Amino acid sequence: MFYGNIKKCDVADGEGVRVTLFVSGCRIHCPGCFQPQTWDFNFGREFTEETQRELIEALKPQYIAGLTVLGGEPFEPENQAVLAPFLEKVREIYPNKNIWCYSGYVYEQDLLEGGRKHTEFTDRMLACIDVLVDGPFILEKRNLMLEFRGSENQRILRLK
């Protein structure tokens, strides 16, 4: 898996001060996407053990509320295989920090068992995620007044 960016002090992508990982690779290709460069699965840098250590260390300060994963698309099958064990590690090390994830896929339709993006790793990822923001960005439904979302069709789902 590749990633495009890491923010170690983000307040835009979830509640509180967060560490944010922008993964690469997305097949949805929403018109008006704010990061179309992340559609490419090879954009940015390779997600390595060193990258994981960097993120784990960045989560350490008391003022960091948690981790946010977005992209690109975290629930592309190639990304799930890498993210599931990483999110489990974060959950184990920091049980009191929360994990947010943004997906252009729809929870009930795409991510639950039988869904088009459900893999052997999906349930493991979902078990770690506290808040899922789901649904594709729809340019015609863009609303800059929404908190933590870009378009009115997107939902904030509290999974825990």
Side-chain angles (χ1 to χ4, degrees), residues 134-150:
D134 81 336
F137 172 75
I138 298 176
L139 189 57
E140 296 77 22
K141 294 185 177 191
R142 180 175 65 173
N143 182 340
L144 300 177
M145 302 306 292
L146 295 172
E147 190 171 42
F148 308 126
R149 297 173 290 153

Side-chain angles (χ1 to χ4, degrees):
M1 181 181 85
F2 281 71
Y3 69 98
N5 195 13
I6 292 172
K7 291 183 180 178
K8 296 182 180 175
C9 191
D10 183 9
V11 295
D13 297 307
E15 295 169 341
V17 180
R18 316 192 62 71
V19 173
T20 305
L21 170 66
F22 294 82
V23 302
S24 296
C26 182
R27 294 183 176 91
I28 302 171
H29 297 186
C30 301
C33 174
F34 79 108
Q35 292 198 115
Q37 68 275 18
T38 65
W39 298 350
D40 179 351
F41 282 83
N42 295 311
F43 174 74
R45 297 180 173 159
E46 187 174 356
F47 188 80
T48 64
E49 287 293 326
E50 183 180 323
T51 310
Q52 291 185 47
R53 284 192 297 274
E54 178 184 351
L55 288 163
I56 296 292
E57 186 65 24
L59 286 162
K60 198 176 210 173
Q62 190 79 24
Y63 65 87
I64 298 291
L67 174 71
T68 297
V69 181
L70 62 166
E73 175 54 56
F75 281 97
E76 292 296 1
E78 301 90 328
N79 293 341
Q80 290 187 47
V82 176
L83 287 173
F86 173 65
L87 294 180
E88 289 169 341
K89 184 184 294 186
V90 170
R91 176 63 65 212
E92 180 183 329
I93 295 169
Y94 298 112
N96 296 321
K97 297 197 186 251
N98 58 60
I99 298 174
W100 282 52
C101 185
Y102 283 74
S103 176
Y105 294 112
V106 177
Y107 178 68
E108 299 87 354
Q109 175 183 321
D110 300 314
L111 303 181
L112 294 181
E113 191 170 343
R116 65 188 174 128
K117 291 297 170 174
H118 189 274
T119 73
E120 62 190 284
F121 301 103
T122 309
D123 292 338
R124 290 172 57 190
M125 279 182 65
L126 292 171
C128 294
I129 295 168
D130 297 287
V131 179
L132 176 69
V133 180
D134 81 336
F137 172 75
I138 298 176
L139 189 57
E140 296 77 22
K141 294 185 177 191
R142 180 175 65 173
N143 182 340
L144 300 177
M145 302 306 292
L146 295 172
E147 190 171 42
F148 308 126
R149 297 173 290 153
S151 60
E152 293 176 354
N153 62 294
Q154 294 173 317
R155 305 177 299 171
I156 298 174
L157 303 173
R158 300 198 181 269
L159 301 182
K160 302 231 181 207

